[in-house]
Amino acid sequence: MNVVTLAGGIGGARFLRGLRATVDPRSSTITVIGNTGDDLTLHGLRVCPDLDTVMYTLGGGIDEERGWGRADETWQVKEELAAYGVEPAWFGLGDRDVATHLVRTRMLDAGYPLSAVTEALCVRWSPGVRLLPMSDDRVETHVLVDLPEGRRAIHFQEWWIKHGARLPAAGFVPVGAEDATPAPGVLAAIAAADVILVAPSNPVVSIGVILAVPGIRDAIRSAAAPVVGLSPIVGGAPVRGMADACLAAIGVDSSAAAVGQHYGARAGGGGGGGLLDGWLVHDGDADTTVPEVRVLAVPLLMTDPAAAAAMARAALDLAADLSR
Ligand code: GDP
Ligand code: CA
């Protein structure tokens, strides 16, 4: 069985850990199409936060409490940079993490595409999945914010981390997406998939940005495999993080129903380029309906790896049911 999953950072990575525990590696493959819209260059280093969160989580190197970055991290590089007064100082650049960015930057500078660099980094971490960036082309999500001096576009990370997503956002622009092409293997994996899953990741800046790469949405829409999504919104709020601020900026309610509808039905007369055949929502959101999408309520809180594995099992079961 070939399982393809669209994933952002923390929500995606924790779900993938459950998925990996659920499928039999002897007869199955998991291909992850990861968001790179959060990527940024810091002090000359190329940083790919979501790819690294997936790689570290699946490779056993993640800081479980924070959900991002390396376990047993220290922060001396960051402190030394701050002592020089160089900006940006708000990004959590850990000492162990820096090694990853050094390797990545050196390989990119030598001409390797991000997909090849990611594959090389994963040799160390053995994540048990094939981790593909959505594109080898540079795509950076910018946030439109209204400041006293007028409307400005700032890097997503600046809005998310420095401003804590508190500056009201007027929209998101995946800069570079329209000229980007899917990374090698992305479209082929979608076409060959037996199941396509949309992880419980940020619908706007994780999944939405992956879908902004021309060709990916169409490939999913025309894939033979059933498409099942998992809601990152539980009881009217994100389980973790500030996805509600992102949804508000694009005029979508923070509810499992609204996000399901935003993704839309693949089938039927909607005609709106929808994606989903099935939508998993949390137990407490069992009254959710999405036109022309099979909605199923199961526990969706990834309190531990076993809970994430049960979610993955439920998603695969729903997909199997949909393909009957
Ligand atoms: P980021 O890139 O690190 O922000 O991570 P993602 O985009 O992959 O995931 C962020 C989303 O994961 C947030 O909107 C959370 O609501 C969601 N999330 C985190 N933990 C859980 C969980 O236990 N259950 C569900 N359903 N969603 C979760
Ligand atoms: Ca992210």
Side-chain angles (χ1 to χ4, degrees), residues 37 39 139-145 152-157 159 171-176 205 209:
D39 295 6
V139 177
E140 287 189 359
T141 304
H142 282 64
V143 188
L144 301 175
V145 292
R152 293 284 180 277
I154 62 175
H155 193 288
F156 170 72
Q157 297 287 0
W159 180 73
F172 297 88
V173 184
V175 177
V205 295
V209 172

Side-chain angles (χ1 to χ4, degrees), residues 7-13 38 50 160 200-203 206 231-234 238-240 243 300-303 311:
I10 298 179
D38 293 6
D50 285 1
W160 187 255
S201 287
N202 188 310
S206 293
S231 178
I233 304 294
V234 164
V239 177
R240 193 188 162 115
L300 281 194
L301 293 176
M302 297 186 279
T303 43
M311 283 166 56

Side-chain angles (χ1 to χ4, degrees), residues 16-138:
L16 285 163
R17 192 161 54 184
L19 180 64
R20 186 185 56 184
T22 302
V23 304
D24 183 348
R26 288 165 305 184
S27 55
S28 301
T29 65
I30 300 172
T31 302
V32 180
I33 301 174
N35 171 43
T36 58
D38 293 6
D39 295 6
L40 74 172
T41 300
L42 282 175
H43 312 291
L45 299 178
R46 193 65 184 160
V47 181
C48 300
D50 285 1
L51 294 180
D52 287 349
T53 297
V54 171
M55 184 173 79
Y56 293 156
T57 302
L58 295 178
I62 198 80
D63 182 299
E64 288 290 342
E65 200 123 307
R66 272 199 315 273
W68 57 268
R70 293 292 317 281
D72 302 320
E73 190 56 287
T74 54
W75 305 93
Q76 294 186 13
V77 169
K78 187 173 191 250
E79 285 162 26
E80 290 295 314
L81 288 166
Y84 283 109
V86 295
E87 294 289 338
W90 40 264
F91 193 86
L93 200 57
D95 300 333
R96 290 178 186 274
D97 203 22
V98 161
T100 302
H101 311 320
L102 282 166
V103 176
R104 174 185 293 123
T105 305
R106 186 169 165 192
M107 287 189 72
L108 289 170
D109 287 349
Y112 289 95
L114 182 61
S115 50
V117 175
T118 305
E119 190 179 346
L121 292 169
C122 282
V123 169
R124 170 181 176 195
W125 293 103
S126 300
V129 302
R130 183 161 166 243
L131 176 59
L132 302 177
M134 65 192 196
S135 177
D136 279 335
D137 301 316
R138 202 152 148 169

